[in-house]
Amino acid sequence: MKRATWRSARQHVKAVRTCDTERLEQSLAEAAAAFPGCAERVLAVLIHVRAFSLADALDCMKAAGFRVGHALLTLEVFLSSSHAHDGRQSEARLTLADFELAFTFWDKLDDAVKAWLSVSFVRVWQSPAGAGLPGPLLFRLKELWQHTPPTAKQRLPPARACGLGRSKEETFDLLDSHVDLNGDTTALVGELLSRGFLPPDETLGRHGLIGGLVWTRPELAAER
């Protein structure tokens, strides 16, 4: 069998990038058979060019014969400049299922990849798409989003801390580490009061909560 070369690998990657959808499965299988070492570049193409989710891309590659696993989850895959149409860096947009999949490999990932995943997850949580994310899921992924502390601009709006059903300690840890308490805290304060989470000493230590208390329960704010 003729030995595959890097030139042939590039040709296979190009075929995956440019072929019709009907031929994609065949192109992937041919690439896997001829040059399995191009898996990382194929994954980048599927994510950045063909707009596959990470989970769907890995499923297709596995079905085609590629060996998939944590080794493919690199910054070169998630942050690709070679596949962006305008030459600028293209950043992968992961779905919630993608983050869950990546988290299954968490202990094996490079620290730089963990940092990117952490910041990216908080960005999704911060966005309109992050409204209503279930508390059990969020705290199952706690190690992921806690890995890299957010900047002031990356902090979550107060409403994102509502309805999570966590303990008092977990709730205030989240407020201190990830929530922008300079935003509208009225809904958050209402929930904290209803759960008995706002004794005077803790309210006085968080000025954003005091502001929310003024609007929610002004009589209590005056007492404190």
Side-chain angles (χ1 to χ4, degrees):
M1 180 178 177
K2 185 178 179 179
R3 182 183 178 185
T5 64
W6 281 107
R7 181 177 180 180
S8 68
R10 287 194 295 269
Q11 291 173 339
H12 284 296
V13 173
K14 181 179 179 180
V16 171
R17 182 172 62 246
T18 61
C19 70
D20 294 335
T21 301
E22 294 76 12
R23 199 180 183 281
L24 178 59
E25 184 176 334
Q26 180 180 346
S27 294
L28 287 170
E30 291 172 352
F35 206 89
C38 68
E40 187 175 323
R41 285 181 288 171
V42 167
L43 179 58
V45 166
L46 291 178
I47 292 174
H48 294 276
V49 179
R50 306 202 73 112
F52 275 53
S53 69
L54 173 64
D56 287 345
L58 291 177
D59 282 346
C60 288
M61 292 177 64
K62 184 177 181 180
F66 280 106
R67 184 176 182 179
V68 300
H70 74 278
L72 296 184
L73 306 188
T74 66
L75 282 184
E76 287 71 23
V77 166
F78 293 130
L79 301 174
S80 177
S81 58
S82 60
H83 303 295
H85 296 300
D86 56 7
R88 294 182 298 179
Q89 190 176 68
S90 173
E91 186 168 359
R93 296 185 178 183
L94 303 187
T95 66
L96 184 58
D98 292 337
F99 286 111
E100 291 184 87
L101 173 61
F103 190 64
T104 64
F105 301 115
W106 188 253
D107 292 338
K108 299 178 180 180
L109 298 178
D110 289 342
D111 198 60
V113 175
K114 290 181 177 180
W116 182 85
L117 287 169
S118 183
V119 171
S120 297
F121 183 83
V122 172
R123 188 184 304 135
V124 172
W125 193 0
Q126 182 190 53
S127 73
L133 290 180
L137 170 63
L138 288 170
F139 279 81
R140 182 161 58 80
L141 300 178
K142 183 177 179 180
E143 189 176 356
L144 187 156
W145 52 261
Q146 278 193 334
H147 181 273
T148 304
T151 64
K153 289 184 178 181
Q154 292 169 341
R155 281 180 167 260
L156 302 167
R160 291 295 185 272
C162 293
L164 301 182
R166 309 310 296 179
S167 70
K168 181 178 177 179
E169 180 180 1
E170 288 176 314
T171 297
F172 280 102
D173 283 348
L174 174 63
L175 298 184
D176 290 338
S177 65
H178 279 71
V179 177
D180 177 13
L181 293 179
N182 292 317
D184 181 358
T185 60
T186 52
L188 174 61
V189 166
E191 179 174 311
L192 295 176
L193 284 171
S194 70
R195 301 188 68 194
F197 284 1
L198 281 183
D201 57 337
E202 289 174 349
T203 301
L204 293 174
R206 297 172 174 85
H207 296 291
L209 296 184
I210 296 175
L213 192 62
V214 169
W215 290 100
T216 306
R217 296 286 298 277
E219 74 281 4
L220 295 180
E223 293 175 2
R224 301 183 188 194

